[in-house]
Amino acid sequence: MPAKDTGTEELIRSTAKKLFFKEGKLHATTQDIADAAGMNRSAVHYYFRTRDQLIALIFAESMQALSLRLGKVMSAELPFREKIQGLIEVFTNEMMEYPFQEVFLVTEINTAGHDLVTKIDEGPVSSFLNEIEKEMHLGTIEKTDPKHFLINLFSLLSYPIMMSPIYRQFFGMNEHQFDELIAERRELITRTMFK
Amino acid sequence: MPAKDTGTEELIRSTAKKLFFKEGKLHATTQDIADAAGMNRSAVHYYFRTRDQLIALIFAESMQALSLRLGKVMSAELPFREKIQGLIEVFTNEMMEYPFQEVFLVTEINTAGHDLVTKIDEGPVSSFLNEIEKEMHLGTIEKTDPKHFLINLFSLLSYPIMMSPIYRQFFGMNEHQFDELIAERRELITRTMFK
DNA sequence: ATTTATTTAAACAATTTTGTTGAACAAAAA
DNA sequence: TTTTTGTTCAACAAAATTGTTTAAATAAAT
């Protein structure tokens, strides 16, 4: 018998991810995916049965992978400041590659019948919140609910990238100019978070 | 003849806006809109001819109205700090009422054939950028590209609200608890922006 | 009362999208 | 070689959605 060919399946997966999360083609059909992957639409259904299952799968995988990477940084043996820089690095890279991932997630949640928010391991998050609180007592960051600290961090990281089409026009910048602006932000955000 | 009845037309408009921007029903059909407005689908086509035209219209109107309100605050005769507080007020209110407006806009941009980003009056923005730069020289806010100041402000305002379904789960909070967290942010953001 | 504008309803064609099926095919196993 | 297994594709049926049309009902102004 022929060896189970994972190549095609993986190609469909990555192509769908590219269309949805990278190019923001929210309404991409199974035909669109097949075209982009250079194959017959039947293959998509053969491997994933339905469009919804394919979407659910790439969501579960992406969320799983991202929260795993973030969790690793959060619970690493590192000084607080370096952890934050690690989070900035991981999150910025993820957003640069897949700017529409979060947008897609939050919009799909409101589409009836979807249950895309994967159960994540809340352990790293809650112990990192404790660490943030400790840091607040040390005085290196402003005292407030530690959740605000995380929310602020992710806001400053994510929003500009996912809204770039709007803000490029808002500031009258081309793609290259805006990318340079984004590049400046890693350092800027570190400074902002540590007042 | 009966006075041109704007009631029904307005009802369709506001219902569509509610579905798209408030409830995040990105895939709402003309039938969904008619149902939600309690009328026949034909009425939707009678007043707006096509679904796309209806969408284009509510986008143009919303963007127009919002950028007008923001522009007014930006060019008001007010001390800098109060202007920022004004922007926070206007933007937070808008996001609380229509959390998915920006998300919808940025996703629709990537859907071929749409041209939803309305031409806005860039006057208020560019003179406000100058004002921010002046403020940086005064030392009340950190020196950097003034665009970063605006981006940071809008990031801290928008992102947590539009991503609330994700972060509620991330922090294990119910809707009420998260709303209280959001309420704390107006003051927090002011403090953050003025280091 | 007549005219005009609105609203509902039903029916329709056209298009798009989805998901299934069966045949053809290739490669491995028997 | 024959059989089995896994893959690809064209064709098909079903469903959903859109936009149009026609007719009837309604209501309001002239």
Side-chain angles (χ1 to χ4, degrees):
Chain A
M1 97 184 77
K4 213 169 190 174
D5 183 3
T6 161
T8 310
E9 186 174 339
E10 179 49 36
L11 180 60
I12 296 171
R13 227 196 289 268
S14 62
T15 304
K17 198 172 168 183
K18 196 175 87 183
L19 284 180
F20 289 135
F21 299 163
K22 197 184 192 81
E23 299 176 13
K25 298 280 167 57
L26 211 70
H27 308 286
T29 65
T30 53
Q31 185 67 61
D32 293 332
I33 297 167
D35 288 349
M39 65 182 58
N40 194 285
R41 189 170 61 85
S42 300
V44 178
H45 288 283
Y46 175 76
Y47 284 102
F48 301 96
R49 192 148 191 96
T50 71
R51 181 179 180 273
D52 279 356
Q53 273 184 45
L54 172 57
I55 289 180
L57 193 77
I58 60 176
F59 256 111
E61 282 180 357
S62 302
M63 287 290 121
Q64 196 75 24
L66 180 59
S67 77
L68 198 76
R69 262 177 297 160
L70 290 176
K72 244 178 206 154
V73 180
M74 284 183 186
S75 45
E77 281 295 333
L78 282 175
F80 183 73
R81 197 189 175 91
E82 289 176 35
K83 277 194 191 181
I84 298 301
Q85 284 167 340
L87 289 178
I88 290 176
E89 206 57 29
V90 169
F91 218 87
T92 302
N93 290 342
E94 181 78 11
M95 288 302 293
M96 293 288 281
E97 189 164 8
Y98 299 114
F100 297 98
Q101 186 172 338
E102 283 182 292
V103 166
F104 200 157
L105 177 57
V106 81
T107 56
E108 285 294 305
I109 285 173
N110 294 79
T111 303
H114 283 241
D115 192 28
L116 296 170
V117 184
T118 323
K119 301 286 164 288
I120 56 163
D121 180 11
E122 296 183 20
V125 178
S126 71
S127 57
F128 190 59
L129 284 173
N130 287 333
E131 197 179 338
I132 294 173
E133 211 158 8
K134 244 181 252 159
E135 204 69 18
M136 287 176 177
H137 283 296
L138 291 177
T140 49
I141 55 177
E142 205 199 317
K143 272 190 184 117
T144 177
D145 187 329
K147 289 194 280 295
H148 282 304
F149 183 86
L150 270 191
I151 291 176
N152 289 352
L153 179 60
F154 291 139
S155 298
L156 294 170
L157 287 171
S158 280
Y159 181 85
I161 298 177
M162 69 201 225
M163 290 293 139
S164 74
I166 299 177
Y167 282 87
R168 281 214 335 252
Q169 134 122 16
F170 191 65
F171 291 126
M173 304 171 86
N174 64 36
E175 200 169 338
H176 175 66
Q177 291 171 322
F178 198 79
D179 281 353
E180 282 191 343
L181 198 72
I182 293 292
E184 295 169 9
R185 292 184 63 78
R186 296 179 201 221
E187 222 197 313
L188 176 73
I189 291 172
T190 311
R191 266 183 284 133
T192 307
M193 297 309 294
F194 294 94
K195 52 173 167 184
Chain B
M1 94 184 81
K4 211 168 193 179
D5 184 2
T6 162
T8 308
E9 186 173 340
E10 181 48 36
L11 180 61
I12 296 171
R13 225 196 291 266
S14 62
T15 304
K17 197 171 170 184
K18 196 175 86 183
L19 284 181
F20 290 133
F21 299 164
K22 197 183 193 84
E23 299 176 12
K25 298 279 168 56
L26 211 70
H27 308 285
T29 65
T30 53
Q31 185 67 63
D32 293 333
I33 297 167
D35 288 350
M39 65 182 57
N40 195 283
R41 190 170 63 90
S42 301
V44 177
H45 289 284
Y46 175 76
Y47 281 102
F48 300 95
R49 192 143 188 99
T50 72
R51 180 179 180 275
D52 279 357
Q53 274 185 46
L54 172 57
I55 289 179
L57 193 78
I58 61 176
F59 258 109
E61 283 180 356
S62 302
M63 288 291 123
Q64 195 75 24
L66 180 58
S67 77
L68 197 78
R69 261 176 297 160
L70 290 176
K72 244 179 207 154
V73 180
M74 285 183 185
S75 45
E77 280 295 334
L78 282 175
F80 184 72
R81 198 188 174 93
E82 288 177 36
K83 277 193 189 180
I84 298 302
Q85 285 167 339
L87 288 178
I88 290 176
E89 206 57 30
V90 169
F91 218 85
T92 302
N93 290 343
E94 182 77 10
M95 288 301 294
M96 294 286 281
E97 189 164 10
Y98 300 114
F100 298 97
Q101 186 172 337
E102 282 182 292
V103 167
F104 200 157
L105 176 58
V106 81
T107 57
E108 286 295 304
I109 286 173
N110 293 80
T111 304
H114 282 241
D115 193 28
L116 296 169
V117 184
T118 323
K119 302 285 164 288
I120 56 163
D121 180 11
E122 297 182 18
V125 179
S126 70
S127 57
F128 191 58
L129 284 172
N130 287 335
E131 196 177 339
I132 293 172
E133 213 158 8
K134 244 180 254 160
E135 204 68 17
M136 287 176 177
H137 285 295
L138 291 177
T140 48
I141 55 178
E142 205 199 319
K143 270 191 186 115
T144 178
D145 187 329
K147 289 194 279 296
H148 283 304
F149 184 87
L150 268 193
I151 291 177
N152 289 350
L153 179 61
F154 290 139
S155 298
L156 295 170
L157 287 171
S158 280
Y159 181 85
I161 298 176
M162 71 199 218
M163 291 293 140
S164 73
I166 300 176
Y167 282 88
R168 279 210 340 247
Q169 136 123 13
F170 191 66
F171 291 126
M173 304 171 84
N174 64 36
E175 199 169 335
H176 175 66
Q177 291 170 322
F178 198 81
D179 280 353
E180 283 191 344
L181 198 71
I182 293 292
E184 295 169 11
R185 292 184 62 79
R186 297 181 199 220
E187 221 197 315
L188 176 73
I189 292 173
T190 310
R191 267 183 285 134
T192 307
M193 297 308 295
F194 291 94
K195 53 176 168 185

